[in-house]
Amino acid sequence: MTALTLKDAVIRYDRLTAVDGVSLELRRGETLGLVGESGCGKSSIARAIVGLQPLADGTLTIEGETLQEVSSQRKQALQRKIQLLFQDPAASLSPRMTVRSLLAEPLKIRGTYTPERWARILELAVSIGLGEQLLSRCPHQLSGGQARRVALVRALAAEPSIIVADEPTAGLDISVQGDLLNLLRALRDRLGLSYLLISHNLNVVGRVTDRVAVMYLGQIVESGPTAALFRAPAHPYTQALLSANLTLDASRRGERIVLSGELPSPSNPPSGCRFHKRCPFAQPKCSIDVPALQAGPGERSVACHFPLSTASVVTPQAIAG
Ligand code: SF4
C-alpha cells in the first residue's frame, strides 16, 4: 500500500527549475531515503510534500487521494497527515517557552487539545527520554539530541502517518546520531509511520532506509532497495557518492571515484545526461541524448546510457580499456 506518490513533479523558483520531472513512491511503513549533493533539489521536494512550496507541474497523492483533485479543505486535512522534521529543530522552537509549553502548543494551535491527548503526548515524551526534569527547561538548556526529541514529539502531536525528515542527524555527535536513528526506527514500527528521509550522509541513509532514490541536478538518476544499491550502484554518480562517503572495505578501495568540477547550475543544466561533464564513463552519446530512468530487475531503476554492472562494480579504467 502506498502512503504517498509524487508523479512527474516540477518545482520552480522564478525561472530556475529546481526539480524537473521527479516521481517517487513512499510505501506504508517503510523508510525511503532521498540523497544527493546540496542544491540537487531534495529539500525542495520536502517542502513541496509538506505544502510549503507549490508544484509547478505534476501531482502529489496522499493515501490514494490526489491533492490536485480534491477541495482545499480536504487538501489541508490530507496535508496534516504529513509532518516535517526540520534540519535545525532548535531554530523552530520558541526560545522563551518551556518544553512543556512547546509540547502542548501544536494541540492548542490546532484546537485538538484534550486531557487524553495531552496525557498521550506526555507519555510519549517520557518514553523517549524527555522526563519530568526536562519539561520545565527552555530550548537553550537542551542538548542537540534533546531538542530533536522535542521537535519529534511536537510533530507526532499532529498524529501524522508520514514524517519527512530533512537531515535529521545533522550536527549531532556520532553516538547521539545512532540513538536518534534507533528512536526513529522504533517509533516508525510502534506508530505505523512512513518516513521520507532526506540526507547527504550516506552512512545514515544506509543504516535506516529500506529503499533509496539518488538525485542529481533536479532529477532522480537511480533508485532501488538500499542494500542492493549500496552494494552495487548502477549509476556512476551513485558510485561516486558512495565511494566518497562510505568506509569501503579494503578490497574495494581501488574503486574510489573522485568527482571533478562543481554541481552545475540548475538554471543552465548540461545537455544530454546532466552528469556528463563530471562522469568518468561519459561517451559522445551522453552529451546529446537524455537517458531515461529505466526500470530493471530487483526493483532497481537507473538513468544512464552505460550503467555499471550491478553484478560487479566496474571501474573507469575497465571502461577505457
Ligand atoms: Fe555517465 Fe553517460 Fe551514464 Fe551519464 S549517461 S551517467 S554521462 S555514462
Side-chain angles (χ1 to χ4, degrees):
M1 181 69 173
T2 305
L4 176 151
T5 307
L6 193 63
K7 194 162 185 311
D8 301 327
V10 175
I11 300 172
R12 290 198 187 97
Y13 302 95
D14 296 324
R15 284 198 213 143
L16 188 151
T17 302
V19 172
D20 194 1
V22 163
S23 296
L24 284 175
E25 183 188 87
L26 175 64
R27 298 169 190 162
R28 274 204 184 154
E30 80 164 350
T31 302
L32 173 67
L34 187 58
V35 303
E37 289 165 286
S38 166
C40 70
K42 54 191 193 305
S43 289
S44 295
I45 288 180
R47 288 174 58 78
I49 286 175
V50 299
L52 296 175
Q53 175 67 36
L55 292 180
D57 207 349
T59 56
L60 174 60
T61 303
I62 299 169
E63 295 183 350
E65 293 185 74
T66 300
L67 265 57
Q68 285 73 13
E69 296 170 358
V70 297
S71 67
S72 56
Q73 200 179 15
R74 184 67 191 143
K75 185 175 169 181
Q76 279 180 4
L78 287 168
Q79 217 123 33
R80 273 199 293 273
K81 292 173 184 276
I82 307 175
Q83 288 293 307
L84 175 65
L85 273 187
F86 288 99
Q87 218 176 99
D88 180 8
S92 67
L93 303 176
S94 174
R96 288 193 196 85
M97 291 172 75
T98 62
V99 170
R100 183 184 296 277
S101 309
L102 287 165
L103 297 184
E105 187 183 44
L107 297 180
K108 291 179 176 167
I109 288 175
R110 290 187 183 87
T112 56
Y113 185 95
T114 63
E116 295 74 29
R117 278 208 175 95
W118 176 233
R120 277 208 300 274
I121 296 295
L122 282 180
E123 188 188 322
L124 177 64
V126 170
S127 77
I128 67 167
L130 295 173
E132 184 68 32
Q133 73 283 8
L134 289 175
L135 295 181
S136 54
R137 291 192 188 168
C138 290
H140 71 275
Q141 297 170 306
L142 302 175
S143 68
Q146 288 165 345
R148 272 161 172 94
R149 280 171 160 75
V150 172
L152 185 55
V153 178
R154 278 167 58 87
L156 294 174
E159 300 178 3
S161 55
I162 298 167
I163 295 276
V164 177
D166 191 1
E167 304 283 3
T169 59
L172 296 178
D173 292 343
I174 296 284
S175 65
V176 183
Q177 280 187 17
D179 289 346
L180 187 69
L181 294 175
N182 289 339
L183 174 62
L184 285 171
R185 192 162 29 208
L187 286 172
R188 182 193 70 176
D189 297 342
R190 182 169 139 199
L191 303 174
L193 299 166
S194 313
Y195 292 147
L196 176 63
L197 189 145
I198 293 171
S199 183
H200 70 281
N201 185 334
L202 294 188
N203 285 308
V204 167
V205 171
R207 190 166 162 180
V208 294
T209 63
D210 302 296
R211 294 185 303 125
V212 65
V214 181
M215 279 192 81
Y216 184 78
L217 210 57
Q219 298 181 329
I220 303 287
V221 294
E222 181 166 13
S223 66
T226 306
L229 190 144
F230 274 36
R231 193 168 45 246
H235 196 284
Y237 177 63
T238 312
Q239 190 182 5
L241 278 185
L242 287 167
S243 71
N245 277 267
L246 294 181
T247 311
L248 294 173
D249 64 53
S251 64
R252 295 182 61 181
R253 278 193 191 127
E255 297 161 5
R256 186 177 173 90
I257 293 178
V258 179
L259 285 180
S260 60
E262 299 289 313
L263 187 70
S265 167
S267 62
N268 186 24
S271 60
C273 171
R274 294 184 172 197
F275 186 54
H276 82 261
K277 291 190 175 172
R278 301 170 82 194
C279 179
F281 305 99
Q283 308 287 313
K285 173 186 173 78
C286 302
S287 61
I288 302 164
D289 295 339
V290 177
L293 189 64
Q294 304 264 16
E299 295 194 288
R300 302 279 301 264
S301 295
V302 62
C304 175
H305 296 306
F306 307 100
L308 307 174
S309 161
T310 50
S312 64
V313 178
V314 182
T315 64
Q317 293 77 12
I319 281 219

